Amino acid sequence: MNQIKIPEHLTPCFEQAGRLHTYRPNEAIYLQGEIADGIYFIRKGRVRAYYITNTGKELTYEIIEKGRIFGESSFLSQCVRPVSVASVTDVELFVCDLEHLYSYMAESEELMKIMLQLLSNTCNHLTEQLRRVTLYDRYQKIASLLLHETKHPDRDRGVTASSIPYTQEDLALILGLNRVTVNKVLNEWKRNGIIAVAYGRITILKRKDLEELLTPPGTL
């Protein structure tokens, strides 16, 4: 996902429109189904947005870092949170009242544009997630995530043009796959020289091989 962040010179808008909250690792920030009543701006740390199924299984939707916002469902009237969010690391964030934030958006055309871009990014991310879940097999799901993430390098997240700082457990959570399944696919690709795997990092060695997995038949 293309990680659009709030520029440093606009962060005072969120600080002045919100209240500072701190969290230790693995603390719940809000839960799926709660009333959506505020926008969150991350000043420090990382959080995980995840969906809880009827059977209690957690499917990771996204990892969100410093300089970004979450809780966009608050822009919709009488909406509830579609996912839960919990801290991954020590987190400092500002919980912003929408009415206060609107006044800053009205004063800053740049802030207004960035907020609209962020909402558009969220829609695009949901579309990509839906495609993975409904149309792709296990090979295509993993290839799609690796290719999509490395398409937008991000130094803060440790993402480069060829590698991501994810463990096999991370991939399993994000893609809704069994960890054993992820392990088998990655080991197969490793034997074929398509990727290299070290703890906490996966590196693409043959990008074309992964791209071909997502190419519709007859278009090569």
Side-chain angles (χ1 to χ4, degrees):
M1 183 175 180
N2 189 1
Q3 305 290 332
I4 297 176
K5 297 183 179 180
I6 303 297
E8 288 287 339
H9 66 277
L10 290 178
T11 59
C13 297
F14 295 89
E15 294 171 356
Q16 294 169 28
R19 306 175 306 281
L20 179 64
H21 289 242
T22 60
Y23 296 87
R24 302 294 294 172
N26 300 314
E27 281 193 70
I29 296 172
Y30 61 69
L31 298 176
Q32 181 177 319
E34 292 182 350
I35 298 298
D37 57 359
I39 294 291
Y40 294 72
F41 170 75
I42 303 175
R43 185 169 77 171
K44 173 185 174 182
R46 294 184 299 155
V47 305
R48 178 173 73 101
Y50 59 96
Y51 179 79
I52 304 174
T53 69
N54 291 335
T55 60
K57 184 178 181 181
E58 294 182 1
L59 301 178
T60 297
Y61 164 68
E62 187 181 4
I63 302 296
I64 309 168
E65 297 83 18
K66 171 186 174 183
R68 295 183 57 208
I69 64 170
F70 62 94
E72 298 97 323
S73 54
S74 298
F75 284 113
L76 302 175
S77 178
Q78 298 181 334
C79 185
V80 298
R81 302 292 187 190
V83 297
S84 297
V85 176
S87 56
V88 175
T89 62
D90 288 323
V91 171
E92 294 179 3
L93 54 78
F94 286 92
V95 184
C96 302
D97 177 80
L98 278 181
E99 291 304 318
H100 291 158
L101 190 57
Y102 284 149
S103 64
Y104 290 99
M105 293 171 64
E107 294 172 2
S108 172
E109 181 179 345
E110 181 183 7
L111 178 58
M112 178 69 77
K113 288 181 177 179
I114 288 174
M115 296 298 282
L116 291 174
Q117 288 176 330
L118 288 168
L119 289 172
S120 176
N121 263 25
T122 298
C123 291
N124 292 338
H125 185 60
L126 284 170
T127 300
E128 182 65 24
Q129 291 281 66
L130 182 62
R131 182 183 295 115
R132 287 194 189 115
V133 170
T134 59
L135 300 179
Y136 290 168
D137 62 24
R138 61 188 185 278
Y139 292 95
Q140 292 172 315
K141 286 179 180 180
I142 299 173
S144 172
L145 181 63
L146 293 177
L147 293 171
H148 190 73
E149 287 290 314
T150 55
K151 185 178 179 181
H152 306 286
D154 187 323
R155 184 175 61 184
D156 290 342
R157 299 173 61 224
V159 176
T160 73
S162 62
S163 69
I164 59 174
Y166 289 0
T167 65
Q168 295 181 22
E169 183 66 25
D170 292 332
L171 292 184
L173 284 171
I174 292 171
L175 296 171
L177 295 172
N178 185 287
R179 189 180 184 283
V180 174
T181 298
V182 172
N183 179 265
K184 288 181 178 179
V185 171
L186 294 183
N187 280 336
E188 179 180 333
W189 287 351
K190 185 178 178 181
R191 289 194 300 271
N192 293 329
I194 298 173
I195 63 169
V197 179
Y199 183 76
R201 182 159 295 274
I202 301 169
T203 301
I204 300 173
L205 301 178
K206 296 181 180 179
R207 194 175 192 89
K208 185 177 179 181
D209 286 37
L210 297 182
E211 291 173 341
E212 288 178 352
L213 289 173
L214 304 178
T215 302
T219 61
L220 291 176

